[in-house]
Each structure stands twice: as C-alpha cells, then as structure tokens.
Amino acid sequence: MSNKLLQPVTALKGIGAERALDLEALGIRTIEDLLEHFPYRYEDYRVRDVSEAEDGEKITIVGTVYGEPVVRFYGQKKSRLSVKVVVDRVVLTAIWFNRHFLKQQLRAGREIMLSGKFERARLQITVSEHYFLDTGKKVPKEGTIEPVYSTTANIQVKQMRRWVAEALREYGGAVEEILPPYLVQKYKLASRAEAIRNIHFPTSIAAGKQGRRRLAFEELFLFQLKLAAYHAMNRRASDGMAQKIPLDKVRAFVRSLPFSLTNAQKRVIKEILDDMQAKYRMNRLLQGDVGSGKTVVAAIALFATASAGFQGALMVPTEILAEQHYATLKQLLKPHRIEIALLSGSATARQRRDILAGLQSGMIHIVVGTHALIQEDVYFRELGLVITDEQHRFGVEQRRILREKGLHPDVLFMTATPIPRTLAITAFGDMDVSTIDELPAGRKPVETYWVKHEMLDRILAFMRKELDKGRQAYVISPLIEESEKLDLQNAIDVHAQLSHYFSGKYKVGLMHGRLPAKEKDEVMQQFSRGEVHVLVSTTVVEVGVNVPNASLMVIYDAERFGLAQLHQLRGRVGRGSEQSYCILIADPKTEVGKERMRIMTETNDGFEVARRDLELRGPGDFFGTKQSGLPEFKVADVVQDYRMLEVARQEAADMVSRPAFWVGPEYAKLREYLKRDEYFLERIKD
Ligand code: ADP
Ligand code: MG
C-alpha cells in the first residue's frame, strides 16, 4: 500500500479529531481503512416499473398523491398513516408507521418519490424514505444506487457516504494493485482501484458485483496466502524434533491390538508418524466421524513418542473423558512397559506431586488430563507429542502457551465434528489434515427417528423393551432445571419421571454439568458398569463417552441442538454389535428446523450431516459459538464463495511453493502484506 493511504483520516476535508475518534470506534483510522469500510447493502433509487416489482422487494417509485391520507392511532403512541398514490395509472397504498405528522404535507396532486418494501398482493408500499419532488430540495438522483454502511450512533450513513466519496476522489488514484497480473488476468478480475470504487458507488448492479467478486477473491486469497506461507515456513523450520521412532516396535504394538486397523487408520497413522520423524513441528488435525477409531490412532502415536524416548500428553475437555481415555490407554500401553498417569482434578495433593515429579524426571511417559494440563505448573523432561481431543478452539492459545514454555512438541488435534472442507481450510488452514473416512467393519448404522412429544408413552415402552434385552439407554435434555421462560423438559424432571416409571425394575441415573465432579464420575462409572440402566443427562456426555452396551439414545427438545451436536450425541450409541436407535423428540416450528430433523433421520454420515448443516445455518452458527476460530471476512462468504475459496487456496499454495515468491520483485507487495504480521516480519527479510 502506498503511504498516502496510510495517512490518518483527518487528512480528509471535514474530518477533525472528534470525527476521527468516532471513526476509530469502527476500526477506521487511515484513509485505507475508510476505503475498505465496504457497504453491507445498497439503497436502490432506480425507479421501478411497479408491474415488474416482486413481492417483498425494496423498490423506489415516483407517483402522485391521490385522495385523503388516513391516520390511525393504536397502542401507546403508535400510528399508521396511509394514502393512495398513483403510479403509471396503478393505484398503490403507501403506508408510514409513526409518521402521522406527515398528513398535512400529503396533499392530493403532489409528486412524491417513495422507497420502501413492496407488497404485491395488496399493492402496498411500506415507506422507509420519501421525497417531495416539488420543493426544489435535493433528492437522491433517480437511477443511483447508494451504499449503506454500518455506522455508530455518532455517524450517519449520509456522512459516511460523503467521506468515502471524498476519500475516493482524493485518494482513489493511489489505490494500488496487490495481486500479480497473472491472477488478475486468469480470473478476469477488476483492478483493485476499480473494484473499490465500484463496491462503494456502483454504476450498475453488475459493476457492483464485479467489484465485490474481485474483493472477495482478494480477501480469500490473502488469507490463504498467509496460511500457506505460515505452513511453508513451519515446514522449512528445523526447530521441531526429529523423533527417532523404532518402527518395528510400533508395528508389533499394532499387531498386539485386539482388532486390525482400517485402511483409513493405517493411512493417517503413517501421515502422523512421518510428521513426527521429520524435523519440522507437526501441526496436524485428525478428523473422523464418531466411532471411526481415533483413540487408537492417538494411542499408537503416543506409543511411538514414548518408544522414541519422548513424553506425550493427551488433553481432553472433561474429567470424565480424561478418565475414560486413561483407562483405555493404560490397558493398551501398560503391557509395553509404558508409564502412564492421569492428572485429574480429584487427585490428592500427594498423588499430584508424585505425578509432577514423575513428569519432570521422565519416569512417566504419558500423561492424560483436561485442557488445563499444560496451563499449569507442569514440567516435562522432554515433551515430544501433544494430542488435543475434541476441541476446536484451543489451537492458537495452546500454541502460544507451549511457545511461552519453550516447548516445541509435535501437535495433533483430534475432532469428531466432521468439518466441511470450506470451513476446515479457513479455520484450520495452517494445519495439515488427516481424515479417517471409514468406519471399522461390522458397524450397524444407528436407526434414527424423529417423533413429537405426544409419542412419549410409546417411546417409554420402546425403552423398556431395550432395557429388558439387557441394553442401556441415554436420555438427553437441554436444560438442568425447570425454567419459567422456556417450557422445556429438563433433566431433573425427566429423571424424576423416569425413576417413577421404571421404579423397582431399572435404575435411572442423573448427570449434569452442575454436579460436583465426584458425583458425575460416580454416576458415569455406574452407567459404565451397567449398574445404572438409564442415564438422564444434559449434554455433558456429548463427547467421547464410550459405553458399548448402550443401544438407545433419546433426545428431548432435539430442535434446540446443533446438528453436529446431535450427531455427537447419537454417536454415543451404535458402539457395540447390537442394533442401536436414536430418537429425537422435537416439534420444530420452522421449515429449517424440520429440515434439520429430517437430515438426522436420513443420514448417519457425519460429513454429510455437517455439510447440510452448514448449508442451512451458515458458518457462524456451525460451530455453535461466535468464537469458533473462524476468521471474519468483510466481503467474502465462505459458504457462498466456497468455489472461490478453493481456487484461492490452490493459487496461494502454488505461489508460496515458487522460490521467486520469497525474493522476486513481482511479489514484493504480497510480501509487504505478509509482513504486517509480526510472525512474517521476523522471518521474511527483504
Ligand atoms: P472415536 O473416533 O469416536 O474416538 P473410538 O476411538 O472411541 O472412536 O473407537 C470406537 C470404538 O471402536 C472403540 O471401542 C474402539 O476400540 C473400536 N475400534 C477402533 N478401531 C477399530 C478397528 N479398526 N476395528 C474394530 N474396532 C475398532
Ligand atoms: Mg474419541
């Protein structure tokens, strides 16, 4: 970027120190920031032919007031003003809400321009803006398309338009191309300057779209370039540990497992071990559907690191999972003389001290714990591998902590939320991805049914039948306690009802997030051992829990959960050899809600669920929270623009693989862009 554009906004006429502060609240400091504050929509003042306007569309028309305006008051201080307006011999009804004072001005015969939402059936327009054409006052030029910006209370959209226009007039010429010419030509992109002009003040809808397309591409490309460059640098760096893994020992370990690995498992294990043996740091995401067998992959990697003389840590989101993984790993690794410890919140001070000492001395090879593990005062003799299970968000933070501790182990993230590719390459684009896309043979898909609340009796009868066969059941409810606002079933109530229903015959346990860790544990253990037959729970059992004898999952108010979450919950059953069932109790009110339930009944494939969920809900909701680790794009939309994202990713990867990228003058602007980031500033020397 040329320096001109990096001047503060106060360089513009009409923006003083005070206005600059207002703009700063929007993150706008420089002229460039202002130019890159893109409109999120447009006001279209092109006058439309009413006969062509569609229902619900926002239109602008010019017509003549006809007849008397009518005002109706209702509620507290609310009013509705309506008047007939003739447009091309069609009579429309124009409506204003809470603008009764306009009545006097709406005299028959006056020419007026109206913008608002059009309702086809009633030939009605709900006016959001109006201009009398006989006053000589300035009216938005017929035929213009005006940008609408996000602003703050202190800034009006009109002012913003003026400032942007001024910035374009004064500095539009200083906007430089950042993409190399070959990309601009290959994808027939508008130049950067042209695109910026057109996205703010499009001369036509097509020009606006061209501008948007160019800027979306640029945004996705620059983002992918950063990830690709980061990846390339990490690969080249030799600050990782080249672990000398005795592969024959690993093979023997694999042979000792009670089953043979699926081809997908074998493939991902090779990818992981290759990374561990290389001198760069592994930064890999392992994804696989629920039940695809990620734990054993983790066990093999941990075995490998221990056999190479390093230590390994497995971190999981909950204590329950930590204990479960610990038990599994202990069973697998103990016979091979690998020392494994559980660092749990319920350990006594003394146990804890022993474990910490063991980690520091190297007596303990593998430690399992919650994510808090590395944040605490835990020191390792030589940490070679960190595996993080079931957590999306942890990556960046975890890397920081490890770095600050001076550790640089290989890192593997495991997730059972299959992530659609477009999201994976945005959220985890700097990682290598291994995918287990195959389930162990002999798994029966879980049969999933969607039922209404009225069917509860039949569901209970069905549950009884399963229990009579010796199976166990989960019952999930979204809330813990009764809530006055939401008439939802809650875990405590459901537990009481079921205990009553099955009293004397089956034991019903209750688990929720507010129980003390010890009690949660106790219930889970009892369920695991088959002493509790029905486990009523909130979503704390969501991830990872493995009780193969459970064959029925009942989910109350299923419409309240995300599909990824429902799929996770469903994954708690179908882990044994028996046919398993998942029953979703839901009365969704919306079409989307119904569609979501249908998706669950139609497919058992987590990737398919994820893909369709993403289509329905968009990327923000996909991970359930705002803090998904997804970058926020200004122009691009990772769902709509996914093809562009793929292209941008490929181009970025190609580009950084060229030696010229790191030195050639034609890429200087892009390198400059990267160097705005501290990581690259330190590493790219120009
Ligand atoms: P997830 O990927 O959901 O974490 P797990 O690792 O818990 O899955 O594996 C689910 C079950 O499948 C476990 O009981 C595990 O022992 C078993 N399993 C894993 N791999 C295989 C395999 N290749 N063949 C048969 N069973 C397997
Ligand atoms: Mg798992």
Side-chain angles (χ1 to χ4, degrees), residues 78-177:
K78 288 190 183 149
S79 71
R80 179 183 185 276
L81 164 65
S82 67
V83 73
K84 304 270 185 241
V85 175
V86 186
V87 184
D88 296 336
R89 274 175 277 160
V90 179
V91 181
L92 297 188
T93 308
I95 312 260
W96 284 260
F97 287 100
N98 309 323
R99 293 277 181 285
H100 59 275
F101 46 83
L102 291 175
K103 187 177 169 182
Q104 291 88 304
Q105 300 174 43
L106 287 167
R107 288 185 302 274
R110 287 191 81 179
E111 259 215 292
I112 191 168
M113 179 169 154
L114 301 173
S115 291
K117 195 173 153 190
F118 180 61
E119 261 181 84
R120 178 94 259 168
R122 290 192 261 179
L123 283 181
Q124 184 170 296
I125 178 167
T126 305
V127 180
S128 51
E129 274 181 81
H130 68 271
Y131 300 91
F132 290 104
L133 299 180
D134 54 8
T135 59
K137 277 205 199 123
K138 198 163 171 269
V139 170
K141 241 205 344 265
E142 205 186 295
T144 59
I145 303 167
E146 302 263 29
V148 181
Y149 299 98
S150 60
T151 56
T152 61
N154 292 339
I155 300 174
Q156 290 174 341
V157 173
K158 278 181 192 159
Q159 287 175 310
M160 193 64 106
R161 277 181 200 152
R162 215 172 336 107
W163 293 334
V164 173
E166 176 70 16
L168 277 170
R169 206 166 21 249
E170 285 284 317
Y171 299 96
V175 172
E176 292 176 3
E177 188 52 74

Side-chain angles (χ1 to χ4, degrees), residues 531-562:
E531 296 158 15
V532 160
H533 306 97
V534 179
L535 183 64
V536 177
S537 173
T538 56
T539 54
V540 283
V541 297
E542 180 186 336
V543 283
V545 174
N546 190 22
V547 179
N549 189 47
S551 64
L552 177 60
M553 167 63 68
V554 177
I555 304 172
Y556 278 77
D557 300 305
E559 73 271 21
R560 305 248 307 158
F561 296 96

Side-chain angles (χ1 to χ4, degrees), residues 173-278:
V175 172
E176 292 176 3
E177 188 52 74
I178 184 168
L179 298 176
Y182 79 89
L183 280 182
V184 174
Q185 277 154 23
K186 185 167 173 188
Y187 297 106
K188 300 195 168 53
L189 302 172
S191 74
R192 186 161 213 276
E194 198 184 341
I196 288 186
R197 204 174 286 282
N198 272 328
I199 201 169
H200 288 293
F201 299 105
T203 48
S204 67
I205 290 292
K209 277 197 183 140
Q210 267 300 322
R212 201 202 81 88
R213 181 169 155 274
R214 142 80 208 213
L215 293 166
F217 180 87
E218 174 186 310
E219 195 169 35
L220 294 172
F221 176 78
L222 291 180
F223 178 71
Q224 291 295 336
L225 185 72
K226 221 181 225 184
L227 296 175
Y230 178 79
H231 187 254
M233 294 216 131
N234 189 41
R235 278 279 160 131
R236 272 196 282 167
S238 44
D239 56 352
M241 288 171 268
Q243 303 192 33
K244 293 206 171 44
I245 299 170
L247 290 172
D248 48 335
K249 266 183 144 181
V250 176
R251 279 188 211 103
F253 175 65
V254 170
R255 275 196 303 274
S256 78
L257 294 171
F259 43 72
S260 50
L261 298 176
T262 63
N263 286 327
Q265 282 170 322
K266 284 182 199 157
R267 193 187 60 238
V268 303
I269 287 164
K270 179 168 182 336
E271 289 165 355
I272 292 166
L273 296 187
D274 282 352
D275 271 1
M276 288 168 64
Q277 289 168 292

Side-chain angles (χ1 to χ4, degrees), residues 372-602:
L373 186 65
I374 54 157
Q375 282 156 338
E376 294 166 15
D377 277 349
V378 180
Y379 298 94
F380 293 87
R381 194 177 60 83
E382 192 139 37
L383 184 62
L385 174 67
V386 172
I387 302 181
T388 306
D389 195 15
E390 316 281 11
Q391 191 87 341
H392 303 302
R393 260 303 280 168
F394 209 52
V396 180
E397 176 68 1
Q398 188 185 58
R399 278 201 290 263
R400 188 184 60 74
I401 295 168
L402 288 171
R403 202 167 49 236
E404 280 171 8
K405 286 193 161 189
L407 298 169
H408 33 89
D410 288 317
V411 175
L412 180 68
F413 295 85
M414 303 201 292
T415 176
T417 307
I419 303 156
R421 191 174 148 76
T422 67
L423 288 194
I425 65 183
T426 40
F428 305 101
D430 60 333
M431 293 187 187
D432 296 292
V433 178
S434 291
T435 304
I436 309 185
D437 51 5
E438 178 187 4
L439 294 181
R443 288 277 166 77
K444 292 196 185 76
V446 179
E447 280 180 27
T448 303
Y449 300 96
W450 164 31
V451 302
K452 304 276 168 71
H453 284 97
E454 300 92 80
M455 310 254 301
L456 196 58
D457 286 343
R458 285 176 60 187
I459 298 165
L460 291 178
F462 183 72
M463 193 183 304
R464 188 186 286 276
K465 251 174 57 192
E466 282 299 297
L467 298 177
D468 288 348
K469 285 193 253 169
R471 307 274 95 81
Q472 288 164 278
Y474 293 98
V475 178
I476 306 295
S477 162
L479 293 180
I480 303 173
E481 285 167 64
E482 201 168 346
S483 140
E484 284 176 48
K485 280 200 195 127
L486 296 160
D487 180 25
L488 294 170
Q489 293 291 337
N490 59 80
I492 291 171
D493 266 8
V494 171
H495 175 252
Q497 283 163 15
L498 292 182
S499 300
H500 179 71
Y501 185 86
F502 290 120
S503 76
K505 186 99 198 258
Y506 296 114
K507 195 160 173 218
V508 183
L510 172 64
M511 183 158 83
H512 56 71
R514 286 202 219 141
L515 283 183
K518 240 184 119 175
E519 278 178 52
K520 273 194 265 193
D521 230 58
E522 184 68 30
V523 181
M524 202 57 229
Q525 296 295 349
Q526 287 174 340
F527 188 66
S528 255
R529 290 196 296 261
E531 296 158 15
V532 160
H533 306 97
V534 179
L535 183 64
V536 177
S537 173
T538 56
T539 54
V540 283
V541 297
E542 180 186 336
V543 283
V545 174
N546 190 22
V547 179
N549 189 47
S551 64
L552 177 60
M553 167 63 68
V554 177
I555 304 172
Y556 278 77
D557 300 305
E559 73 271 21
R560 305 248 307 158
F561 296 96
L563 288 196
Q565 218 179 356
L566 288 177
H567 183 69
Q568 267 292 326
L569 288 167
R570 172 168 65 184
R572 293 316 102 211
V573 296
R575 312 196 130 233
S577 50
E578 298 303 314
Q579 177 60 54
S580 292
Y581 307 89
C582 174
I583 297 178
L584 307 169
I585 308 179
D587 290 307
K589 300 282 177 280
T590 63
E591 240 344 280
V592 170
K594 289 176 189 158
E595 179 62 16
R596 295 174 64 233
M597 291 306 118
R598 279 195 287 271
I599 292 171
M600 289 303 294
T601 61
E602 282 166 16

Side-chain angles (χ1 to χ4, degrees), residues 5-22:
L5 297 181
L6 296 180
Q7 293 180 84
V9 283
T10 45
L12 281 179
K13 275 202 286 289
I15 303 186
E18 213 168 308
R19 296 327 240 143
L21 273 181
D22 291 339

Side-chain angles (χ1 to χ4, degrees), residues 33-53:
D33 294 339
L34 186 60
L35 289 176
E36 293 181 8
H37 187 64
F38 300 130
Y40 62 91
R41 65 178 183 86
Y42 301 96
E43 295 284 9
D44 192 346
Y45 291 110
R46 292 169 309 159
V47 173
R48 294 287 301 272
D49 188 339
V50 176
S51 63
E52 282 170 12

